[in-house]
């Protein structure tokens, strides 16, 4: 079944969205694209981001989406994963340089290979936010990424790299069926090229 099903419900009283602290009037229950869980308003100041296990689950789900996209469009997922790994690698190699943590939404390559694919989910799980035409991560004001954030990005790179290797193995093991007659014997049943079976 290819239909996505979801349920619209009233938001629980006294609960807010964990990322921005807003109290929604309704929530969408969706098993495929779940909303971040809500927390009680009193617990908002205790929570700063997703737990590591929640983040890793979101990254793994996004990598599965990249693999699905690759199965549909041969090679697209591999290109997407490679580009994502390059962005994440640059962030880890230059944790003190905010230019690597600001990805311009108007960039055509970024749009095609990251933003419009499952790779965007990896960035969102890592805490990237869309602000003023960019997807940004980390502290503002030119401050350096914390060791914990660098470790999270490094862990995400390992998950993406595993997905990339699986896609590459799948591509290498695919045996393309030859059409009839492509074996050098001419059209199916008519013998060698230039001759006929008599």
């Amino acid at each position: 079944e290819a239909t996505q099903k979801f349920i619209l419900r009233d938001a629980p009283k006294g609960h807010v969205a964990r990322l921005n602290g807003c109290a929604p009037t309704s929530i969408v229950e969706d098993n495929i694209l779940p909303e971040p869980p809500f927390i009680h308003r009193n617990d908002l100041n205790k929570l700063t981001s997703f737990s590591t296990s929640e983040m890793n689950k979101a990254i793994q789900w996004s990598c599965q989406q990249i693999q699905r996209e690759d199965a549909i469009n041969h090679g697209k997922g591999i290109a997407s994963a490679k580009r994502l790994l390059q962005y994440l690698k640059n962030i880890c190699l230059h944790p003190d340089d905010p230019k690597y943590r600001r990805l311009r939404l108007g960039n055509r390559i970024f749009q095609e290979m990251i933003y419009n694919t499952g790779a965007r989910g990896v960035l969102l799980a890592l805490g990237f936010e869309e602000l003023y035409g960019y997807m940004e991560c980390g502290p503002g004001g030119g401050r350096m990424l914390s060791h914990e954030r660098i470790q999270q990005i490094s862990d995400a790179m390992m998950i993406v790299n595993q997905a990339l290797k699986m896609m590459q193995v799948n591509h290498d093991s695919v045996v393309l069926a030859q059409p009839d007659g492509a074996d050098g014997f001419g059209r199916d049943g008519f013998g060698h090229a230039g001759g006929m079976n008599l």
Side-chain angles (χ1 to χ4, degrees), residues 3-9 27-33:
T3 304
Q4 182 177 353
K5 296 179 183 179
F6 60 90
I7 300 171
L8 191 61
R9 297 194 189 278
I27 60 170
V28 176
E29 285 185 11
D30 186 349
N31 291 332
I32 296 174
L33 296 171

Side-chain angles (χ1 to χ4, degrees), residues 99-172:
K99 80 176 184 180
Y100 292 101
R101 300 188 307 255
R102 293 188 73 195
L103 308 173
R104 193 168 57 86
L105 294 175
N107 181 313
R108 181 184 57 82
I109 294 171
F110 178 77
Q111 281 285 325
E112 292 173 4
M113 300 181 92
I114 304 296
Y115 193 80
N116 295 327
T117 69
R120 177 175 160 207
V122 174
L123 295 178
L124 293 172
L126 287 170
F128 278 75
E129 296 177 349
E130 293 181 32
L131 299 168
Y132 309 112
Y134 290 89
M135 281 194 82
E136 297 184 29
C137 169
R143 292 180 291 165
M144 186 169 171
L145 281 179
S146 69
H147 176 71
E148 178 185 6
R149 294 292 288 137
I150 295 169
Q151 185 63 48
Q152 290 170 343
I153 293 170
S154 178
D155 292 345
M157 288 175 65
M158 287 181 12
I159 296 170
V160 173
N161 197 40
Q162 288 172 347
L164 174 61
K165 286 180 180 178
M166 286 176 55
M167 287 184 286
Q168 289 172 330
V169 166
N170 288 342
H171 282 271
D172 293 342

Side-chain angles (χ1 to χ4, degrees), residues 44-76:
L44 184 61
N45 60 353
K46 300 176 191 171
L47 186 67
T48 57
S49 63
F50 290 113
S51 70
T52 302
S53 66
E54 289 173 322
M55 183 183 308
N56 287 338
K57 283 181 186 177
I59 292 168
Q60 288 169 348
W61 188 91
S62 297
C63 286
Q64 290 172 348
Q65 179 62 26
I66 294 170
Q67 291 171 314
R68 286 188 286 270
E69 293 164 357
D70 189 70
I72 294 169
N73 294 319
H74 192 72
K76 183 174 182 176

